[in-house]
Amino acid sequence: MPKLIAFDAYGTLLDVYSMGVLAENLFPGHGQSLTVLWRDRQIEYTRLITMSDPTGSTHYQSFWDLTIAALRFSCKRLALPLNQDQEVQLMEQYAKLSAFPECQSTLRQIKQAGIATAVLSNGNQAMLSRALQANQLDTLLDKVISVDEVRQFKVSPASYGLLASHFACAPKDILFVSSNAWDVIGAGWFGLTTFWVNRQNLPFEEIGPKPTYTGANLNDVLATLPA
C-alpha cells in the first residue's frame, strides 16, 4: 500500500489537448497542429531552462510564462497571425483545461482508501489552483506542489524530492502517476514507484526504467491497490 499517490497535472489529470476546439475556431484547419506544437515547445522550454540553470537562480521562468512564450513561437512557426485578443482567449482556456472524465471518481476512491493524494506539477500555484478548482478536484487532494519551490522543472531530482519532503516518506512508498513517459522515467530514476497512464496505446521510451505499472486511464490506478 503506498503512503502517497501523487499525480502529474498537465496531460494526466488535465487534458492539454482540450485546447483543440478553441484553437480550431480561432485558426481553422490548424487547431490540432497548433496544440501539438504548443505542448512540445512548452516542455522543450522547461528542459532548456533546467539544463542551463540547474540551481534555478538565473534563467528560471514560471510555467505560465513559458506557456505564453510557447504559444507565441508556435503561431509564428505555423505562420498563424496571433493577436492580443486571441492570445488572451487561449491562455484563459488553458487556465481552466478540462479534466479527464474519470479524475474525480478515481481521486475520491483513493481518499476513501485512506491514502494521501497530491499533485506534483511544473505549473505554478496560481494556474494549478485555478484549473483544479474549475474541475472540482482541489478538495480531493491533500497538497498541490509546484516545482516553483525549487525553481527546477521535472525531470530534475530536486523536483521529485519535493514529494518526500512534503510528506516525510521514502520515495519507494510514493506511487507517482503520469501520462508523460519522460516524467515516469524521471520519477523512476529518482526511486519513486511509477504508474504510466498510456491513454494512446503508445510504446514506452527506449531509455530509463520501465514503469512499475501501466494502465489505459486513471481508473487502472485503483487496480494496483490491495483489495
Side-chain angles (χ1 to χ4, degrees), residues 172-216:
K172 66 181 178 60
D173 294 324
I174 300 170
L175 178 63
F176 181 73
V177 181
S178 180
S179 66
N180 301 298
W182 54 265
D183 202 8
V184 171
I185 290 171
W189 274 330
F190 187 76
L192 303 178
T193 304
T194 56
F195 188 106
W196 182 37
V197 184
N198 186 9
R199 297 181 185 277
Q200 299 174 310
N201 195 28
L202 299 173
F204 196 70
E205 302 293 347
E206 291 297 319
I207 66 167
K210 301 300 182 185
T212 314
Y213 306 102
T214 300

Side-chain angles (χ1 to χ4, degrees), residues 23 38 44 59 97 110 138 146 154-156 194 199:
W38 186 5
E44 181 65 22
H59 306 308
L97 287 170
I110 292 171
D138 54 315
S146 168
K154 295 185 288 183
V155 296
S156 75
T194 56
R199 297 181 185 277

